[in-house]
Amino acid sequence: MILTSVTVLLIVTAMGFAAAALGKTFRRYSAATILTLLVFGALAGAQGPRIAVGEPTPWLGVYERINIGGYLLWMAVLAVVLMRNNDRRRTPPDR
């Protein structure tokens, strides 16, 4: 649980820095992704006591996959945004 908490904190911090640096649209997308991660992370975390006593947790896998999928999608969008920004810097201005 401690490692997961630290990982989530680092991920959300990285998302916040990237959002602040890359413009309004990406900031909104990052905020929506962070909100999604927090909501589904809380839903998954609420299943912890059931896991500890060996009770069934039928939706836990769905919550975890939404979290991972949301983060991976955010990473892919970040890569595209960074590549586009890099291409714009390399293109010489028209004279």
Side-chain angles (χ1 to χ4, degrees), residues 7-81:
T7 301
V8 168
L9 179 63
L10 292 173
I11 287 171
V12 171
T13 301
M15 292 173 94
F17 279 116
L22 294 173
K24 189 176 182 180
T25 304
F26 189 74
R27 190 173 307 125
R28 287 182 181 162
Y29 173 67
S30 294
T33 302
I34 290 170
L35 180 63
T36 301
L37 295 180
L38 293 177
V39 167
F40 285 97
L43 289 171
Q47 299 281 331
R50 298 184 81 184
I51 293 170
V53 295
E55 292 181 3
T57 55
W59 289 97
L60 179 61
V62 174
Y63 301 151
E64 290 175 341
R65 280 156 185 80
I66 289 171
N67 272 333
I68 293 297
Y71 175 63
L72 292 176
L73 181 60
W74 181 85
M75 289 291 289
V77 172
L78 174 65
V80 169
V81 168

